Amino acid sequence: MSDTVNETKRPSAPDGDVLHQLSTLDRFLPVWIGVAMVVGLLLGRLVPGMDDALAAVEIGSVSLPIAIGLLIMMYPVLAKVRYDELGHVTRDTRLLGTSIFLNWVLGPALMFALAWLLLPDLPEYRTGLIIVGLARCIAMVLIWNDLACGDREAAAILVAINAVFQILAFAVLGYFYLQVLPGWLGLEQAALDVSVWGIAKSVLVFLGIPLLAGYLTRTLGERAKGRDWYESRFLPKIGPAALYGLLFTIVILFALQGGTITSRPLDVARIALPLLVYFALMWGGSMLLTKALGFDYQRATAVSFTAAGNNFELAIAVAIGVFGVTSGQALAGVVGPLIEVPALVALVYLSLWARRFYRERTTTPTDTTAGADR
């Protein structure tokens, strides 16, 4: 997702105007995505031979222009992660364990179930949504968490954990949910030419390269200018590039899929339905679980938005790398951010309303390991 909000900014009050605390780019993200879709459809009709032009130079199975767009889309997101805080989370085993369970056990399983339940006759879109469920949120959650007055430091730690965990686990889990589990459950899965290496290669290219670049950028930038300069001056400058890369990718996808989309307009609505149900169940279930475990509001919010969000940039990249730019899997990934932004903005408002049912923290906001918060 785009990453244009200054990380040092906090909502002025719990009941503040959430929409106006988003940057202009983020506030109107669904509008920009809609415009990109229209532009792509028009290009598909007006520019003949686009398929051949895009396939002229490829990286693996992905055309060079799209590969560049995907890498640009991922880099600002990963440059924002505070990698030096990874070690802190080991002191709070309940926070870490709850987040890992929600993100890497419940989240993928829930999306798998919703995809099969609501899209039994659309295997390509179903597969695309399962890939979305495996791509855990690694940056945009910081914006939603801030707007909901959650624990910023805890959210940053969980984001860093997710970024690293995706490198290690995405390919194996992808193969399990796409190939192994349907067989175990006796589901009639359409034949898929998917291997662990095929998924891992896309993850390594489109997450590994920008992850390394983001890590080096933050390390060298903070060493040269300090964290305050890096987060208040540098990140806001590179943040919009994530949105531009996403919009460029959407334009190309819709240019190549224009015929399919215009002939089956209800498909987009059917893809959106399981996403909406997923956001509601993941966020609501996470808030209830964290309350039952005795988390304060700030940490409950950080854990819940981390669990509810998804890394659509990675999902789109993997879908394109494994199944191709004109695949239904790629289209399912593109629909994701169109639905996510308004859905999670609504959940921010709901979170602020639900704050009255949680205890407030009793320690300083930076004390991410205090026993009083557990």
Side-chain angles (χ1 to χ4, degrees):
M1 301 301 304
S2 67
D3 204 15
T4 57
V5 171
N6 185 331
E7 190 171 341
T8 62
K9 184 176 180 180
R10 278 279 189 182
S12 56
D15 57 351
D17 189 339
V18 170
L19 284 177
H20 285 88
Q21 293 172 56
L22 288 170
S23 71
T24 300
L25 285 176
D26 288 318
R27 190 187 317 160
F28 295 104
L29 182 56
V31 176
W32 311 140
I33 293 175
V35 171
M37 290 175 175
V38 173
V39 171
L41 291 173
L42 291 176
L43 282 176
R45 290 181 173 274
L46 299 176
V47 181
M50 182 172 288
D51 292 13
D52 295 334
L54 288 173
V57 181
E58 293 186 341
I59 296 178
S61 60
V62 180
S63 69
L64 181 61
I66 293 178
I68 292 173
L70 292 171
L71 292 173
I72 291 174
M73 179 172 66
M74 291 292 293
Y75 165 68
V77 172
L78 290 160
K80 187 172 184 178
V81 175
R82 292 179 177 178
Y83 298 96
D84 61 341
E85 295 183 351
L86 277 171
H88 299 171
V89 77
T90 59
R91 303 177 191 174
D92 191 342
T93 55
R94 285 215 306 165
L95 179 71
L96 175 60
T98 302
S99 181
I100 289 178
F101 168 74
L102 291 170
N103 276 284
W104 297 102
V105 179
L106 182 61
L110 177 61
M111 188 68 87
F112 175 87
L114 290 173
W116 274 96
L117 179 65
L118 298 177
L119 300 175
D121 57 328
L122 297 172
E124 288 193 0
Y125 300 149
R126 183 176 67 231
T127 298
L129 286 182
I130 292 172
I131 292 174
V132 168
L134 294 170
R136 312 312 302 166
C137 190
I138 58 172
M140 193 69 174
V141 67
L142 297 175
I143 296 176
W144 310 127
N145 177 72
D146 255 17
L147 293 174
C149 300
D151 186 325
R152 178 182 295 167
E153 286 69 33
I157 292 170
L158 297 178
V159 160
I161 291 291
N162 274 346
V164 175
F165 208 85
Q166 284 186 99
I167 289 285
L168 303 175
F170 192 102
V172 174
L173 289 175
Y175 185 76
F176 174 75
Y177 278 103
L178 295 177
Q179 294 281 67
V180 178
L181 187 57
W184 286 358
L185 299 177
L187 300 173
E188 294 184 4
Q189 173 74 303
L192 288 177
D193 184 17
V194 179
S195 66
V196 172
W197 169 240
I199 300 173
K201 184 169 63 174
S202 294
V203 174
L204 288 173
V205 171
F206 295 111
L207 180 59
I209 292 176
L211 178 64
L212 177 62
Y215 172 78
L216 292 176
T217 301
R218 177 173 276 277
T219 301
L220 298 176
E222 289 189 358
R223 186 176 301 168
K225 296 283 190 176
R227 173 162 290 187
D228 182 67
W229 172 87
Y230 183 84
E231 294 187 345
S232 64
R233 302 288 296 277
F234 180 73
L235 286 181
K237 290 182 179 179
I238 67 169
L243 175 60
Y244 302 148
L246 174 63
L247 295 179
F248 172 78
T249 303
I250 290 173
V251 168
I252 300 301
L253 283 172
F254 275 73
L256 297 177
Q257 299 212 49
T260 301
I261 295 167
T262 55
S263 63
R264 291 182 288 180
L266 291 179
D267 285 3
V268 173
R270 292 194 60 187
I271 294 171
L273 179 58
L275 286 169
L276 287 171
V277 176
Y278 172 85
F279 291 138
L281 291 179
M282 280 301 296
W283 180 87
S286 300
M287 290 293 282
L288 291 174
L289 176 61
T290 50
K291 180 171 175 56
L293 291 173
F295 283 42
D296 60 45
Y297 171 80
Q298 287 79 6
R299 288 202 171 184
T301 299
V303 170
S304 298
F305 278 101
T306 304
N310 290 89
N311 182 359
F312 287 101
E313 294 90 343
L314 178 61
I316 293 169
V318 171
I320 291 175
V322 177
F323 298 101
V325 69
T326 60
S327 65
Q329 290 88 344
L331 178 60
V334 169
V335 174
L338 178 66
I339 305 302
E340 182 189 47
V341 174
L344 291 192
V345 166
L347 290 178
V348 168
Y349 280 109
L350 186 57
S351 181
L352 293 172
W353 172 84
R355 186 173 188 171
R356 69 195 71 183
F357 301 109
Y358 290 79
R359 67 181 180 88
E360 295 294 321
R361 68 164 64 251
T362 57
T363 56
T364 59
T366 57
D367 185 5
T368 60
T369 63
D373 278 350
R374 298 193 292 279

